[in-house]
PDB file of all heavy atoms in Angstrom:
ATOM      1  N   LYS A   7      13.114  -2.820 -16.450  1.00 89.00           N
ATOM      2  CA  LYS A   7      13.528  -2.033 -17.624  1.00 89.00           C
ATOM      3  C   LYS A   7      13.131  -0.569 -17.474  1.00 89.00           C
ATOM      4  O   LYS A   7      13.721   0.305 -18.081  1.00 89.00           O
ATOM      5  CB  LYS A   7      12.926  -2.631 -18.897  1.00 89.00           C
ATOM      6  CG  LYS A   7      13.579  -3.945 -19.286  1.00 89.00           C
ATOM      7  CD  LYS A   7      13.068  -4.431 -20.647  1.00 89.00           C
ATOM      8  CE  LYS A   7      13.721  -5.734 -21.035  1.00 89.00           C
ATOM      9  NZ  LYS A   7      12.999  -6.899 -20.538  1.00 89.00           N
ATOM     10  N   SER A   8      12.136  -0.293 -16.640  1.00 84.00           N
ATOM     11  CA  SER A   8      11.683   1.084 -16.411  1.00 84.00           C
ATOM     12  C   SER A   8      12.730   1.885 -15.646  1.00 84.00           C
ATOM     13  O   SER A   8      12.630   3.092 -15.532  1.00 84.00           O
ATOM     14  CB  SER A   8      10.372   1.077 -15.626  1.00 84.00           C
ATOM     15  OG  SER A   8      10.582   0.531 -14.333  1.00 84.00           O
ATOM     16  N   GLU A  16      14.136 -10.450   4.370  1.00 92.00           N
ATOM     17  CA  GLU A  16      13.094 -10.816   5.338  1.00 92.00           C
ATOM     18  C   GLU A  16      12.644  -9.656   6.221  1.00 92.00           C
ATOM     19  O   GLU A  16      11.609  -9.736   6.861  1.00 92.00           O
ATOM     20  CB  GLU A  16      13.514 -12.013   6.202  1.00 92.00           C
ATOM     21  CG  GLU A  16      14.729 -11.781   7.084  1.00 92.00           C
ATOM     22  CD  GLU A  16      16.069 -11.981   6.362  1.00 92.00           C
ATOM     23  OE1 GLU A  16      16.086 -12.394   5.191  1.00 92.00           O
ATOM     24  OE2 GLU A  16      17.096 -11.698   6.985  1.00 92.00           O
ATOM     25  N   ILE A  21      12.411   0.214  -2.421  1.00 95.00           N
ATOM     26  CA  ILE A  21      12.066   0.601  -3.794  1.00 95.00           C
ATOM     27  C   ILE A  21      12.994   1.750  -4.152  1.00 95.00           C
ATOM     28  O   ILE A  21      13.008   2.771  -3.472  1.00 95.00           O
ATOM     29  CB  ILE A  21      10.595   1.051  -3.905  1.00 95.00           C
ATOM     30  CG1 ILE A  21       9.653  -0.064  -3.439  1.00 95.00           C
ATOM     31  CG2 ILE A  21      10.276   1.470  -5.341  1.00 95.00           C
ATOM     32  CD1 ILE A  21       8.209   0.378  -3.277  1.00 95.00           C
ATOM     33  N   LYS A  27      16.855   6.362 -16.059  1.00 52.00           N
ATOM     34  CA  LYS A  27      15.614   6.274 -16.820  1.00 52.00           C
ATOM     35  C   LYS A  27      14.396   6.477 -15.922  1.00 52.00           C
ATOM     36  O   LYS A  27      13.492   7.233 -16.238  1.00 52.00           O
ATOM     37  CB  LYS A  27      15.550   4.909 -17.512  1.00 52.00           C
ATOM     38  CG  LYS A  27      14.479   4.792 -18.558  1.00 52.00           C
ATOM     39  CD  LYS A  27      14.620   3.449 -19.259  1.00 52.00           C
ATOM     40  CE  LYS A  27      13.545   3.250 -20.288  1.00 52.00           C
ATOM     41  NZ  LYS A  27      13.637   1.942 -20.931  1.00 52.00           N
ATOM     42  N   LYS A  31      11.746   9.636 -16.057  1.00 52.00           N
ATOM     43  CA  LYS A  31      10.318   9.378 -16.242  1.00 52.00           C
ATOM     44  C   LYS A  31       9.529   9.953 -15.075  1.00 52.00           C
ATOM     45  O   LYS A  31       8.489  10.554 -15.251  1.00 52.00           O
ATOM     46  CB  LYS A  31      10.052   7.865 -16.322  1.00 52.00           C
ATOM     47  CG  LYS A  31      10.228   7.282 -17.685  1.00 52.00           C
ATOM     48  CD  LYS A  31       9.791   5.831 -17.659  1.00 52.00           C
ATOM     49  CE  LYS A  31       9.822   5.241 -19.037  1.00 52.00           C
ATOM     50  NZ  LYS A  31       9.403   3.847 -19.060  1.00 52.00           N
ATOM     51  N   GLY A  40      13.765   8.651  -5.864  1.00 81.00           N
ATOM     52  CA  GLY A  40      14.611   8.349  -4.724  1.00 81.00           C
ATOM     53  C   GLY A  40      14.393   6.938  -4.233  1.00 81.00           C
ATOM     54  O   GLY A  40      14.124   6.034  -5.016  1.00 81.00           O
ATOM     55  N   MET A  46       8.868  -5.243   6.476  1.00 95.00           N
ATOM     56  CA  MET A  46       8.074  -6.429   6.146  1.00 95.00           C
ATOM     57  C   MET A  46       6.917  -6.609   7.118  1.00 95.00           C
ATOM     58  O   MET A  46       5.835  -7.017   6.717  1.00 95.00           O
ATOM     59  CB  MET A  46       8.940  -7.694   6.183  1.00 95.00           C
ATOM     60  CG  MET A  46       9.611  -8.002   4.891  1.00 95.00           C
ATOM     61  SD  MET A  46       8.475  -8.118   3.511  1.00 95.00           S
ATOM     62  CE  MET A  46       9.666  -8.490   2.264  1.00 95.00           C
ATOM     63  N   THR A  50       0.739  -5.254   4.307  1.00 91.00           N
ATOM     64  CA  THR A  50      -0.650  -5.686   4.512  1.00 91.00           C
ATOM     65  C   THR A  50      -1.262  -6.318   3.263  1.00 91.00           C
ATOM     66  O   THR A  50      -2.248  -7.034   3.360  1.00 91.00           O
ATOM     67  CB  THR A  50      -1.537  -4.508   4.953  1.00 91.00           C
ATOM     68  OG1 THR A  50      -1.456  -3.465   3.971  1.00 91.00           O
ATOM     69  CG2 THR A  50      -1.114  -3.974   6.311  1.00 91.00           C
ATOM     70  N   GLY A  51      -0.705  -6.033   2.089  1.00 92.00           N
ATOM     71  CA  GLY A  51      -1.278  -6.605   0.877  1.00 92.00           C
ATOM     72  C   GLY A  51      -0.607  -6.088  -0.371  1.00 92.00           C
ATOM     73  O   GLY A  51       0.268  -5.222  -0.322  1.00 92.00           O
ATOM     74  N   LEU A  52      -1.036  -6.631  -1.505  1.00 94.00           N
ATOM     75  CA  LEU A  52      -0.483  -6.248  -2.805  1.00 94.00           C
ATOM     76  C   LEU A  52      -1.624  -6.042  -3.782  1.00 94.00           C
ATOM     77  O   LEU A  52      -2.600  -6.787  -3.761  1.00 94.00           O
ATOM     78  CB  LEU A  52       0.419  -7.368  -3.348  1.00 94.00           C
ATOM     79  CG  LEU A  52       1.594  -7.779  -2.477  1.00 94.00           C
ATOM     80  CD1 LEU A  52       2.169  -9.104  -2.972  1.00 94.00           C
ATOM     81  CD2 LEU A  52       2.659  -6.701  -2.483  1.00 94.00           C
ATOM     82  N   TYR A  54      -1.905  -5.896  -7.761  1.00 94.00           N
ATOM     83  CA  TYR A  54      -1.154  -6.128  -9.007  1.00 94.00           C
ATOM     84  C   TYR A  54      -2.125  -6.072 -10.166  1.00 94.00           C
ATOM     85  O   TYR A  54      -3.096  -6.827 -10.201  1.00 94.00           O
ATOM     86  CB  TYR A  54      -0.455  -7.492  -8.907  1.00 94.00           C
ATOM     87  CG  TYR A  54       0.172  -7.989 -10.175  1.00 94.00           C
ATOM     88  CD1 TYR A  54       0.975  -7.177 -10.959  1.00 94.00           C
ATOM     89  CD2 TYR A  54      -0.026  -9.305 -10.578  1.00 94.00           C
ATOM     90  CE1 TYR A  54       1.561  -7.657 -12.120  1.00 94.00           C
ATOM     91  CE2 TYR A  54       0.557  -9.791 -11.730  1.00 94.00           C
ATOM     92  CZ  TYR A  54       1.353  -8.958 -12.492  1.00 94.00           C
ATOM     93  OH  TYR A  54       1.933  -9.440 -13.643  1.00 94.00           O
ATOM     94  N   TYR A  55      -1.875  -5.157 -11.072  1.00 91.00           N
ATOM     95  CA  TYR A  55      -2.769  -5.029 -12.221  1.00 91.00           C
ATOM     96  C   TYR A  55      -1.980  -4.533 -13.417  1.00 91.00           C
ATOM     97  O   TYR A  55      -1.382  -3.454 -13.359  1.00 91.00           O
ATOM     98  CB  TYR A  55      -3.909  -4.050 -11.908  1.00 91.00           C
ATOM     99  CG  TYR A  55      -4.880  -3.914 -13.044  1.00 91.00           C
ATOM    100  CD1 TYR A  55      -5.800  -4.916 -13.331  1.00 91.00           C
ATOM    101  CD2 TYR A  55      -4.856  -2.789 -13.853  1.00 91.00           C
ATOM    102  CE1 TYR A  55      -6.679  -4.800 -14.384  1.00 91.00           C
ATOM    103  CE2 TYR A  55      -5.737  -2.664 -14.918  1.00 91.00           C
ATOM    104  CZ  TYR A  55      -6.651  -3.672 -15.178  1.00 91.00           C
ATOM    105  OH  TYR A  55      -7.504  -3.554 -16.229  1.00 91.00           O
ATOM    106  N   LEU A  66       0.994   3.709   4.656  1.00 87.00           N
ATOM    107  CA  LEU A  66       1.299   4.135   3.284  1.00 87.00           C
ATOM    108  C   LEU A  66       0.024   4.388   2.497  1.00 87.00           C
ATOM    109  O   LEU A  66      -1.018   3.802   2.805  1.00 87.00           O
ATOM    110  CB  LEU A  66       2.120   3.056   2.565  1.00 87.00           C
ATOM    111  CG  LEU A  66       3.524   2.823   3.087  1.00 87.00           C
ATOM    112  CD1 LEU A  66       4.190   1.700   2.311  1.00 87.00           C
ATOM    113  CD2 LEU A  66       4.359   4.082   2.989  1.00 87.00           C
ATOM    114  N   PRO A  69      -5.005   2.988  -2.729  1.00 73.00           N
ATOM    115  CA  PRO A  69      -6.253   3.443  -3.365  1.00 73.00           C
ATOM    116  C   PRO A  69      -7.465   2.845  -2.650  1.00 73.00           C
ATOM    117  O   PRO A  69      -7.703   1.652  -2.719  1.00 73.00           O
ATOM    118  CB  PRO A  69      -6.138   2.932  -4.804  1.00 73.00           C
ATOM    119  CG  PRO A  69      -5.114   1.857  -4.759  1.00 73.00           C
ATOM    120  CD  PRO A  69      -4.239   2.091  -3.572  1.00 73.00           C
ATOM    121  N   LYS A  73     -12.843   3.555  -8.083  1.00 61.00           N
ATOM    122  CA  LYS A  73     -13.737   4.341  -8.939  1.00 61.00           C
ATOM    123  C   LYS A  73     -13.354   5.814  -8.936  1.00 61.00           C
ATOM    124  O   LYS A  73     -13.521   6.500  -9.919  1.00 61.00           O
ATOM    125  CB  LYS A  73     -15.185   4.181  -8.482  1.00 61.00           C
ATOM    126  CG  LYS A  73     -15.721   2.794  -8.704  1.00 61.00           C
ATOM    127  CD  LYS A  73     -17.154   2.703  -8.224  1.00 61.00           C
ATOM    128  CE  LYS A  73     -17.533   1.249  -8.081  1.00 61.00           C
ATOM    129  NZ  LYS A  73     -18.216   0.959  -6.850  1.00 61.00           N
ATOM    130  N   THR A  75     -10.237   6.959  -7.901  1.00 68.00           N
ATOM    131  CA  THR A  75      -8.801   7.156  -8.065  1.00 68.00           C
ATOM    132  C   THR A  75      -8.407   6.702  -9.457  1.00 68.00           C
ATOM    133  O   THR A  75      -8.682   5.582  -9.834  1.00 68.00           O
ATOM    134  CB  THR A  75      -8.019   6.337  -7.005  1.00 68.00           C
ATOM    135  OG1 THR A  75      -8.500   6.700  -5.719  1.00 68.00           O
ATOM    136  CG2 THR A  75      -6.547   6.611  -7.085  1.00 68.00           C
ATOM    137  N   ILE A  80      -2.558   6.540  -9.131  1.00 85.00           N
ATOM    138  CA  ILE A  80      -2.050   5.384  -8.392  1.00 85.00           C
ATOM    139  C   ILE A  80      -0.575   5.155  -8.733  1.00 85.00           C
ATOM    140  O   ILE A  80       0.236   4.887  -7.858  1.00 85.00           O
ATOM    141  CB  ILE A  80      -2.872   4.113  -8.704  1.00 85.00           C
ATOM    142  CG1 ILE A  80      -4.302   4.261  -8.169  1.00 85.00           C
ATOM    143  CG2 ILE A  80      -2.211   2.862  -8.125  1.00 85.00           C
ATOM    144  CD1 ILE A  80      -5.263   3.205  -8.641  1.00 85.00           C
ATOM    145  N   GLN A  82       1.625   7.159  -9.308  1.00 81.00           N
ATOM    146  CA  GLN A  82       2.497   8.163  -8.702  1.00 81.00           C
ATOM    147  C   GLN A  82       2.768   7.892  -7.226  1.00 81.00           C
ATOM    148  O   GLN A  82       3.614   8.534  -6.625  1.00 81.00           O
ATOM    149  CB  GLN A  82       1.885   9.561  -8.885  1.00 81.00           C
ATOM    150  CG  GLN A  82       1.913  10.013 -10.324  1.00 81.00           C
ATOM    151  CD  GLN A  82       1.239  11.356 -10.503  1.00 81.00           C
ATOM    152  OE1 GLN A  82       1.269  12.188  -9.614  1.00 81.00           O
ATOM    153  NE2 GLN A  82       0.637  11.572 -11.655  1.00 81.00           N
ATOM    154  N   ASN A  85       4.822   3.941  -3.138  1.00 92.00           N
ATOM    155  CA  ASN A  85       4.838   2.501  -2.919  1.00 92.00           C
ATOM    156  C   ASN A  85       4.268   1.723  -4.105  1.00 92.00           C
ATOM    157  O   ASN A  85       3.883   0.567  -3.982  1.00 92.00           O
ATOM    158  CB  ASN A  85       4.071   2.136  -1.635  1.00 92.00           C
ATOM    159  CG  ASN A  85       2.682   2.741  -1.587  1.00 92.00           C
ATOM    160  OD1 ASN A  85       2.465   3.885  -1.984  1.00 92.00           O
ATOM    161  ND2 ASN A  85       1.732   1.998  -1.079  1.00 92.00           N
ATOM    162  N   GLU A  91       4.188  -6.092 -17.314  1.00 92.00           N
ATOM    163  CA  GLU A  91       3.442  -7.109 -16.570  1.00 92.00           C
ATOM    164  C   GLU A  91       4.282  -8.354 -16.263  1.00 92.00           C
ATOM    165  O   GLU A  91       4.275  -8.850 -15.146  1.00 92.00           O
ATOM    166  CB  GLU A  91       2.189  -7.503 -17.365  1.00 92.00           C
ATOM    167  CG  GLU A  91       1.256  -8.410 -16.614  1.00 92.00           C
ATOM    168  CD  GLU A  91      -0.073  -8.628 -17.319  1.00 92.00           C
ATOM    169  OE1 GLU A  91      -0.283  -8.066 -18.410  1.00 92.00           O
ATOM    170  OE2 GLU A  91      -0.895  -9.362 -16.761  1.00 92.00           O
ATOM    171  N   GLN A  92       5.034  -8.836 -17.256  1.00 93.00           N
ATOM    172  CA  GLN A  92       5.827 -10.047 -17.064  1.00 93.00           C
ATOM    173  C   GLN A  92       6.906  -9.833 -15.996  1.00 93.00           C
ATOM    174  O   GLN A  92       7.228 -10.738 -15.232  1.00 93.00           O
ATOM    175  CB  GLN A  92       6.517 -10.498 -18.366  1.00 93.00           C
ATOM    176  CG  GLN A  92       5.621 -10.618 -19.573  1.00 93.00           C
ATOM    177  CD  GLN A  92       5.459  -9.299 -20.332  1.00 93.00           C
ATOM    178  OE1 GLN A  92       4.827  -8.367 -19.837  1.00 93.00           O
ATOM    179  NE2 GLN A  92       6.007  -9.205 -21.530  1.00 93.00           N
TER     180      GLN A  92
END
Side-chain angles (χ1 to χ4, degrees):
K7 288 187 180 88
S8 64
E16 63 277 355
I21 302 169
K27 192 174 178 182
K31 275 186 174 180
M46 272 305 180
T50 57
L52 302 166
Y54 170 47
Y55 182 75
L66 293 178
K73 292 180 196 134
T75 305
I80 294 169
Q82 291 177 32
N85 51 320
E91 187 171 0
Q92 309 87 290

